[in-house]
Amino acid sequence: MAAGTQDGDTQNQINEIYTAMARGDKGILVTSNGNAINAALRQAQESGLYVSALDTPLTPVDTADNTFATDNHQAGLLIGKYAAARLNGQKATIAMLDLYNDQVVEVDTARDHGFLDGMGIPNDPRAINGLEPKSGHYKGGKGGDYRIVCHRPTQGAIDGGRQAMEQCLSANPNINVVYAMNEPAGEGAYAALRAAGKADKVLLVVIDGSCDGIEMVRSGEFDADAVQYPGKMARLGVDAVAKIARGGAPPPKSKGKDFYDTGTALATAHPVDGVDSQTPDEAAKKCWG
């Protein structure tokens, strides 16, 4: 087992891929930090290793032999639909807390654009984050006017989320919707909102579905969390390598998709009409971490 020191630790991922090749491993499971590792992964495939991407499809997707992942766009779509429905026609003043602003990673853009689609805000899914119209009319729920006041990077971390939220509040103190690309960024955002006395005035939606995150849904810190199943992704990846090493066939992809979709669901303590969701108790039965 190998791991980087932090999100974005690309060089250590590359080093570990070459180590796996030199060791004669049968396969690699990887959650990519971006396209910089693609050349090493292609060499691993050429050497006969079975490459499984976890959580996020690679770009191009055939850089891995298969991908075991949640549909990140669908996860963003769920929390976007939920936020639009909860607004009930109110004006949305939106802060978007992304992963990076100096590199393009599929999980970051897919979740970001999924949220916009769920809100009913026009965007180009092929584009980098932040190029959508910054104001206009959202069509989700009952619809209403919107303004996106900030896109800030968080590095997917609590400190990054707090700093990003502080900067967004400085730009516009009237924010009433916060999209956070993962739970740590959301936890940092909540700390900044609470310090500013605005925690109970803002819809905060996140993605991950960890057991800690579900507890934050239960306690009201998060309004909704799109639940993913990383344990299932890892189990399927390990099973695939083990089966292939014994001479078996590689696993198929999900029908109509170029990866194996491990599913996602919305968890909230405040369900809304028209958006399927789980209670925190239901989500806690399959949470991770």
Side-chain angles (χ1 to χ4, degrees):
M1 177 179 292
T5 56
Q6 60 185 2
D7 280 356
D9 186 3
T10 302
Q11 188 55 54
N12 263 330
Q13 283 201 326
I14 294 171
N15 294 343
E16 294 298 339
I17 291 166
Y18 287 124
T19 297
M21 294 166 59
R23 198 165 47 213
D25 290 354
K26 298 296 184 184
I28 292 173
L29 279 64
V30 62
T31 301
S32 173
N33 279 325
N35 292 353
I37 72 168
N38 285 3
L41 289 175
R42 281 193 288 270
Q43 289 186 48
Q45 286 180 301
E46 291 166 2
S47 298
L49 277 74
Y50 185 80
V51 176
S52 296
L54 304 180
D55 186 49
T56 305
L58 305 178
T59 305
V61 69
D62 63 0
T63 308
D65 294 293
N66 204 347
T67 302
F68 301 97
T70 290
D71 186 330
N72 282 303
H73 181 274
Q74 177 66 16
L77 188 77
L78 286 174
I79 58 174
K81 285 184 173 179
Y82 177 82
R86 279 285 303 269
L87 284 166
N88 197 31
Q90 295 179 66
K91 180 179 179 179
T93 304
I94 303 169
M96 299 196 65
L97 308 186
D98 296 315
L99 183 59
Y100 301 125
N101 65 349
D102 60 352
Q103 53 185 306
V104 177
V105 177
E106 193 275 347
V107 64
D108 192 16
T109 55
R111 292 180 178 189
D112 179 299
H113 289 89
F115 170 79
L116 293 171
D117 285 339
M119 283 287 299
I121 294 173
N123 67 93
D124 182 350
R126 299 165 299 179
I128 62 174
N129 291 341
L131 297 184
E132 70 282 345
K134 295 300 179 289
S135 62
H137 192 82
Y138 68 89
K139 296 181 179 178
K142 291 186 177 180
D145 293 334
Y146 79 87
R147 183 181 176 198
I148 297 174
V149 298
C150 65
H151 273 274
R152 299 299 304 172
T154 66
Q155 283 74 48
I158 295 174
D159 288 349
R162 178 164 187 158
Q163 183 178 30
M165 192 70 248
E166 290 170 347
Q167 292 169 343
C168 289
L169 285 172
S170 178
N172 191 314
N174 297 317
I175 291 166
N176 63 349
V177 178
V178 175
Y179 155 85
M181 69 79 56
N182 69 1
E183 289 173 353
E187 185 175 349
Y190 181 81
L193 291 165
R194 185 175 58 187
K198 297 180 179 295
D200 61 348
K201 300 179 178 63
V202 174
L203 275 171
L204 174 55
V205 293
V206 305
I207 296 172
D208 274 343
S210 76
C211 296
D212 288 344
I214 296 303
E215 284 304 309
M216 296 182 77
V217 174
R218 192 194 308 277
S219 65
E221 292 164 72
F222 297 157
D223 290 282
D225 192 348
V227 180
Q228 302 186 322
Y229 305 101
K232 183 177 180 181
M233 300 173 196
R235 176 174 56 77
L236 290 169
V238 171
D239 288 349
V241 174
K243 186 176 180 181
I244 291 168
R246 298 186 185 107
K253 298 176 173 64
S254 296
K255 186 178 180 180
K257 298 186 177 182
D258 56 8
F259 63 100
Y260 189 111
D261 188 354
T262 53
T264 187
L266 186 76
T268 179
H270 302 283
V272 294
D273 290 340
V275 184
D276 291 338
S277 62
Q278 300 177 340
T279 66
D281 284 345
E282 291 169 333
K285 294 176 182 177
K286 294 185 177 179
C287 64
W288 56 273

